Amino acid sequence: MTRNVVVTGGGTGIGLEVARRFADAGERVVIVGRRRAVLERAAKELGGNVTPLVCDLADPDAVEAALAELPATVDVLVNNAGSRETVIGAGPHAVLARWRGDFERNVLTVVLLTESIRERLTPGSGRVVTVSSIAALRGAGSYGAAKASLHAWNNFLAAQLGPSGITANIVAPGTVSGTEFFGPRLDEAEVSRRASRTLVGRIGQPGEVAAAVYFLASAEAGFITGEILHCNGGELLGR
């Protein structure tokens, strides 16, 4: 049976590869993000039943307006949208902007949409997969704190959805190439440095994270919930 899949941040990087996995499997996919041109380009590239939906997921009014364009029944929700706040500087105003920005970009973008469509998740087989980060476990200031809060929230969500047969899990990637997250910082020297911290001697690829997401969204993963699947090449062992 063809499933309805919603992938946030589906226009680039990990989200694009997640959307590709589902589209290649013949699923109906809605990719959500803020940039229309990026989403439309991704939808054209992926082909099939892929629909772009422009929405600022940190804005409750925008989320509410987008509900009419989302599927009435959602089989899989992949919360991938998120980014690092770029505000720098000292003093309480800069600190507030940085912490508030990371919370809005990485927590509210997940929670607002999930809570808004949770009644649409398919009983008995629905899947929620949220993309976190290794930063949530090894620490990274406001960004790591924001991602870590998703872990606590996911435990709560899994307990709430479990009686309906719906699972909620986290995928926590390490360093992954081919995304917009690092920008020019991920040069050859930085790649080598980060690769040396893993057990496999390399950094990850977006498709490898997408494979982990796809597994947790599968029927075979129906007895896994409230878990964190580490996808970091052994850079940080699971705990």
Side-chain angles (χ1 to χ4, degrees):
M1 184 179 69
T2 302
R3 297 184 296 176
N4 292 323
V5 181
V6 177
V7 181
T8 71
T12 62
I14 292 171
L16 177 62
E17 292 307 311
V18 169
R20 191 187 310 278
R21 287 296 297 259
F22 287 105
D24 287 349
E27 314 282 26
R28 290 183 293 267
V29 183
V30 178
I31 53 175
V32 186
R34 293 180 299 171
R35 297 174 294 176
R36 182 178 302 277
V38 170
L39 292 175
E40 291 179 347
R41 183 169 60 248
K44 183 177 181 180
E45 175 186 337
L46 297 175
N49 292 321
V50 178
T51 303
L53 174 58
V54 178
C55 179
D56 181 353
L57 294 170
D59 180 347
D61 291 330
V63 172
E64 194 168 55
L67 294 178
E69 300 183 62
L70 288 167
T73 299
V74 177
D75 299 291
V76 180
L77 170 61
V78 180
N79 291 309
N80 171 73
S83 62
R84 185 191 295 271
E85 176 58 59
T86 58
V87 171
I88 59 175
H93 290 287
V95 171
L96 175 62
R98 187 163 59 250
W99 280 77
R100 177 177 286 165
D102 274 331
F103 187 83
E104 290 178 351
R105 292 165 183 258
N106 296 286
V107 180
L108 293 185
T109 52
V110 172
V111 176
L112 289 180
L113 179 62
T114 304
E115 293 296 335
S116 295
I117 67 170
R118 61 182 297 171
E119 297 303 320
R120 302 186 187 190
L121 294 170
T122 309
S125 61
R127 302 284 185 264
V128 179
V129 185
T130 299
V131 179
S132 173
S133 169
I134 192 174
L137 295 153
R138 69 183 313 158
S142 55
Y143 176 74
K147 290 298 191 182
S149 69
L150 291 176
H151 294 189
W153 168 79
N154 185 73
N155 291 343
F156 172 76
L157 182 68
Q160 288 191 313
L161 298 180
S164 298
I166 301 168
T167 66
N169 291 288
I170 296 276
V171 174
T175 302
V176 176
S177 66
T179 75
E180 297 179 335
F181 182 80
F182 294 101
R185 293 183 295 130
L186 201 60
D187 56 19
E188 185 176 346
E190 184 64 9
V191 168
S192 296
R193 187 183 74 83
R194 289 172 177 266
S196 69
R197 300 193 308 207
T198 72
L199 300 183
V200 297
R202 65 176 178 85
I203 64 173
Q205 300 294 322
E208 293 174 312
V209 182
V213 171
Y214 190 78
F215 165 68
L216 289 174
S218 69
E220 289 81 359
F223 201 51
I224 301 172
T225 195
E227 293 293 335
I228 302 171
L229 176 54
H230 300 278
C231 189
N232 60 42
E235 181 179 351
L236 184 68
L237 299 181
R239 64 171 186 257

